[in-house]
Amino acid sequence: MSKCVLVTGGAGYIGSHTTVELTAAGYDVVIADDLSNSDICGVEGVRAITGKNIPFVEMNCLDKEAMDKLFTDYKIDAVIHFAAFKAVGESVAEPLKYYSNNIESFVTLLSTAARHGVNNIVFSSSATVYGQPDVLPATEQTPRKPATSPYGNTKQMCEDILRDTVAASATLKGIALRYFNPIGAHPSALIGELPKGVPNNLVPFITQTAAGVRECLSVFGDDYNTPDGSCLRDYIDVVDLAKAHVTAVSRMLDDKNKERYEIFNIGTGRAVSVLELVNTFEKVNGLKLNYKIVGRRPGDVESVWADTTLAATELGWKAERTLDETLKSAWEWEKRVRGL
Ligand code: WQD
């Protein structure tokens, strides 16, 4: 019988792509999402791509009774926990919203999973835990820097909560995946990133500018100590990222993990500047983007990219899609959303 994976936040950007890849790999999936920062379209897109009526439970992960019912109704073998708020700026303005939603929901999930004997948890972490590393590329051993936002702090705290809960248990296994900058969309253009309001992140801002929804992209800073002066990031394709989750789940279910708590960087290992990304987007999609250079954005780190050796050797995973393909897929998705 197929193993069943609970995907919290499965209607969202990374959760929906992961649900597709889990299904393709033969897992049963149940999605739990409160749709607070996502849309039922995410679930519908996943169902259209997979041709399966993937079960969807509309619920908030803070709701202990709903969580308990979920684990009673479905025989869950592993959980991937995406459900969280993720806007850095908003987290500074409303820290308690972030601490409550991101921390309490994870605690609720872990305690409910423990009560139901579910021993395999993947946590959706972020390269934000590294801040500006002293040495690049960042390995999993690179020291975490003090978080610069409540959002970043919740990622660090949830990693620690998972580590400590694993340590206190005889059976629990946990994997934290530290994503670098996820971008792009499914090649079908049936699922993708759907930010509410003005996008904070670079690629949705680019695609919305290309679509005429935003007038002009602001490139935040060209006076950094980098080859072209703009910031360097490691942009990871969302489908590749989704596949990394499948390898993490299989690793635990097949008892291949070396430690009961493990951390993996999920990136490409390649540093790309903001200007290079903009130029590549223009080139592969055959269009001109309206952009201007403005001052630095407060809180931005100059450069961060991943050492991906551990994911390659231990998970047998590496990024496959090229930046060209990824930026094409991002534009195809935006065009579909806008009816262009
Ligand atoms: C990338 C680069 C900007 C927008 C953040 C979070 C992180 C993670 C992903 C999310 C930077 C530049 C951006 C724009 C620009 N979490 N930029 N103009 O800041 O690396 O990471 O998102 O859920 O935790 O911190 O990603 O996409 O915002 O920015 O020039 O309009 O693009 O300065 O160099 P970031 P980003």
Side-chain angles (χ1 to χ4, degrees):
M1 213 179 71
S2 303
K3 300 276 186 187
C4 179
V5 183
L6 165 63
V7 178
T8 74
Y13 176 43
I14 306 172
S16 58
H17 288 81
T18 300
T19 300
V20 168
E21 297 308 323
L22 286 166
T23 307
Y27 290 106
D28 289 335
V29 179
V30 53
I31 294 174
D33 202 303
D34 68 355
L35 303 180
S36 62
N37 195 31
S38 58
D39 197 283
I40 192 68
C41 298
V43 178
E44 288 163 356
V46 165
R47 287 177 177 161
I49 293 167
T50 58
K52 293 216 161 120
N53 192 24
I54 314 254
F56 164 60
V57 181
E58 187 172 344
M59 57 168 278
N60 186 299
C61 291
L62 290 168
D63 184 338
K64 294 194 172 86
E65 275 174 27
M67 188 68 94
D68 203 65
K69 182 167 176 351
L70 182 66
F71 277 81
T72 306
D73 290 350
Y74 295 89
K75 204 208 142 297
I76 292 162
D77 297 290
V79 183
I80 309 179
H81 183 57
F82 292 105
F85 292 149
K86 59 170 189 173
V88 177
E90 183 188 56
S91 80
V92 175
E94 296 180 73
L96 294 182
K97 179 174 168 180
Y98 276 69
Y99 288 121
S100 165
N101 190 61
N102 294 8
I103 305 289
E104 283 177 39
S105 67
F106 193 43
V107 171
T108 301
L109 172 73
L110 288 174
S111 44
T112 311
R115 267 202 316 282
H116 289 264
V118 177
N119 279 314
N120 304 293
I121 311 280
V122 177
F123 174 65
S124 178
S125 191
S126 167
T128 195
V129 302
Y130 296 121
Q132 177 60 67
D134 297 328
V135 180
L136 285 165
T139 73
E140 291 77 358
Q141 263 68 55
T142 296
R144 295 186 324 194
K145 288 275 166 75
T148 53
S149 72
Y151 162 75
N153 211 10
T154 66
K155 289 295 172 195
Q156 297 202 357
M157 290 165 80
C158 285
E159 282 192 353
D160 294 347
I161 288 167
L162 183 56
R163 179 200 63 201
D164 295 348
T165 311
V166 166
S169 156
T171 49
L172 183 66
K173 290 185 271 189
I175 292 182
L177 297 181
R178 291 178 176 162
Y179 320 148
F180 283 67
N181 288 59
I183 61 165
H186 194 265
S188 66
L190 289 169
I191 51 172
E193 193 170 8
L194 206 56
K196 292 195 170 158
V198 181
N200 295 307
N201 297 116
L202 179 60
V203 169
F205 209 105
I206 289 176
T207 56
Q208 289 196 11
T209 305
V213 179
R214 312 277 153 211
E215 215 169 287
C216 182
L217 167 74
S218 294
V219 172
F220 298 133
D222 69 348
D223 57 350
Y224 286 98
N225 185 23
T226 60
D228 66 18
S230 63
C231 293
L232 296 174
R233 295 287 184 277
D234 185 332
Y235 295 94
I236 172 73
D237 184 277
V238 69
V239 175
D240 284 334
L241 174 58
K243 288 177 179 167
H245 293 80
V246 179
T247 63
V249 164
S250 308
R251 181 176 176 86
M252 291 192 291
L253 290 175
D254 298 345
D255 260 323
K256 296 272 169 57
N257 47 300
K258 295 221 169 113
E259 309 281 340
R260 282 195 295 116
Y261 174 64
E262 297 176 312
I263 300 171
F264 297 101
N265 283 345
I266 305 297
T268 66
R270 178 170 168 235
V272 173
S273 77
V274 175
L275 291 170
E276 184 186 350
L277 192 110
V278 168
N279 292 335
T280 309
F281 181 84
E282 291 184 323
K283 182 195 77 187
V284 299
N285 294 309
L287 44 79
K288 277 281 159 212
L289 199 70
N290 192 19
Y291 73 90
K292 60 175 188 236
I293 312 284
V294 302
R296 295 181 178 194
R297 181 171 69 176
D300 270 345
V301 298
E302 181 171 278
S303 300
V304 62
W305 69 93
D307 183 316
T308 59
T309 311
L310 198 65
T313 53
E314 292 298 321
L315 297 177
W317 172 92
K318 65 176 173 46
E320 284 168 356
R321 283 174 96 194
T322 63
L323 186 61
D324 286 16
E325 288 171 308
T326 305
L327 290 176
K328 269 191 209 163
S329 73
W331 179 227
E332 290 305 317
W333 162 248
E334 187 72 52
K335 282 195 289 187
R336 189 175 156 266
V337 169
R338 305 291 161 194
L340 297 175

